């Protein structure tokens, strides 16, 4: 019986060790995936900023074989990276992952960033990804992130954690928060933040308009000429003259 209990205890210990090793391995792979994604998005953004073509495309560099670019360079030259209207690689990346994989990459990254206190390193790479995506995804995705994902509050909380414990997380969260709150140049009238502010002030505008209408009515009343005693007296005299009998 003692050998049986010792064998069971050894099995439990071995199972716990295996679970711990598997969890550490999974966490490491997950962190590496976030690192690769953030580096890739950053590279695309920097390349688009440094060497844009006439329409915001990437220019192919000579490969050395007669000056002809490689197929990958030719493909990069035909795909706009980060045009200002939010129609480039970040927006396509968000839409394609939802279409092909059935997942919302913005929601996943915001959820990872929300665990900044427990996993600041993962949150740092998530904030880097969100900064690039928010800058190039267009106002539609940014408004959805603010409204449906509570991204503004989560990014602000990660920024607070970074200010206390993680300098790189602080910088990446600050950039992501600025990009999330920014207005797109091609929005045609401002961002969703401005729309929300306009909606909040509509009630005040209606009240002031009503007050202005009442003031105009009062001014009209004041401008009406008062009926004086002379006018009343003249009307009475006309009545008397009409009633007198002729001699």
């Amino acid at each position: 019986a003692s050998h049986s209990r010792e064998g069971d205890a050894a099995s439990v210990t071995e199972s716990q060790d295996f679970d711990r090793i598997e969890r550490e391995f999974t966490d490491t792979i997950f962190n590496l995936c976030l690192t690769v994604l953030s580096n890739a998005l950053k590279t695309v953004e920097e390349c688009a900023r440094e060497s844009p073509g006439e329409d915001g495309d990437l220019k192919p560099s000579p490969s050395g074989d007669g000056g002809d670019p490689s197929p990958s360079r030719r493909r990069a030259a035909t795909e706009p990276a980060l045009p200002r209207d939010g129609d480039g690689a970040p927006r396509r990346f968000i839409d394609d992952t939802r279409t092909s994989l059935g997942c919302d990459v913005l929601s996943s990254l915001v959820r990872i960033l929300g665990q900044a206190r427990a996993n600041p390193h993962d949150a740092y790479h998530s904030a880097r990804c969100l900064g690039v995506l928010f800058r190039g995804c267009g106002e539609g995705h940014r408004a959805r992130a603010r409204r449906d994902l509570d991204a503004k509050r989560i990014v602000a909380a990660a920024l607070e954690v970074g200010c206390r414990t993680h300098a790189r997380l602080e910088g990446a969260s600050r950039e992501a928060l600025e990009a999330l709150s920014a207005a797109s140049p091609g929005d045609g009238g401002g961002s969703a933040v401005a729309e929300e502010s306009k909606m909040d002030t509509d009630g005040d505008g209606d009240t002031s308009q009503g007050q202005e209408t009442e003031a105009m009515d009062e001014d009209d009343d004041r401008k009406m000429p008062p009926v004086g005693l002379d006018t009343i007296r003249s009307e009475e005299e006309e009545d008397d003259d009409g009633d007198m009998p002729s001699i």
Side-chain angles (χ1 to χ4, degrees):
S2 61
H3 290 294
S4 177
R5 286 194 297 271
E6 291 176 359
D8 293 341
S11 299
V12 171
T13 303
E14 183 178 356
S15 177
Q16 292 176 350
D17 292 340
F18 178 80
D19 292 341
R20 179 179 56 81
I21 295 173
E22 185 179 19
R23 184 170 59 253
E24 292 177 356
F25 178 77
T26 304
D27 293 343
T28 302
I29 294 296
F30 186 76
N31 181 264
L32 290 176
C33 291
L34 282 175
T35 304
V36 171
L37 179 60
S38 64
N39 288 340
L41 290 174
K42 273 288 187 181
T43 301
V44 170
E45 183 182 44
E46 291 173 359
C47 290
R49 185 183 298 117
E50 293 175 0
S51 57
E54 294 180 357
D55 297 328
D57 298 340
L58 294 179
K59 292 182 178 179
S61 60
S63 60
D65 298 335
D68 295 332
S70 63
S72 61
R73 293 286 186 177
R74 286 197 297 269
R75 180 184 177 188
T78 60
E79 295 183 0
L82 290 171
R84 293 181 179 274
D85 58 357
D87 225 2
R91 184 170 185 173
R92 291 201 309 271
F93 175 69
I94 295 171
D95 295 337
D96 290 347
T97 52
R98 178 186 291 272
T99 302
S100 58
L101 302 178
C103 66
D104 185 2
V105 66
L106 284 180
S107 176
S108 300
L109 291 172
V110 169
R111 185 168 60 251
I112 295 168
L113 188 61
Q115 302 172 0
R117 191 182 301 275
N119 298 305
H121 300 299
D122 291 350
Y124 159 64
H125 292 294
S126 176
R128 290 186 74 203
C129 295
L130 288 172
V132 177
L133 294 178
F134 285 152
R135 279 190 290 271
C137 68
E139 182 56 31
H141 284 297
R142 284 197 296 269
R144 180 175 64 86
R146 290 191 297 263
R147 181 183 64 250
D148 300 338
L149 305 179
D150 199 14
K152 198 167 186 179
R153 181 189 63 81
I154 293 175
V155 176
L159 175 60
E160 183 179 354
V161 174
C163 291
R164 294 197 306 263
T165 62
H166 202 290
R168 290 186 176 183
L169 175 60
E170 176 188 0
S173 299
R174 194 181 305 278
E175 291 183 5
L177 187 60
E178 292 174 356
L180 180 61
S181 304
S184 295
D187 285 342
S191 63
V193 177
E195 290 291 336
E196 295 173 358
S197 301
K198 181 178 180 299
M199 292 176 62
D200 293 338
T201 56
D202 282 345
D204 298 337
D206 295 339
T207 304
S208 61
Q209 185 176 0
Q211 294 175 353
E212 183 178 355
T213 304
E214 293 177 359
M216 292 176 61
D217 294 340
E218 293 177 357
D219 292 339
D220 292 339
D221 294 339
R222 285 195 296 268
K223 290 178 181 178
M224 293 179 63
V227 179
L229 296 177
D230 296 337
T231 305
I232 297 175
R233 186 179 298 109
S234 61
E235 292 178 353
E236 293 177 351
E237 291 176 355
E238 291 178 356
D239 294 339
D240 295 339
D241 292 341
D243 295 338
M244 291 177 60
S246 58
I247 300 174

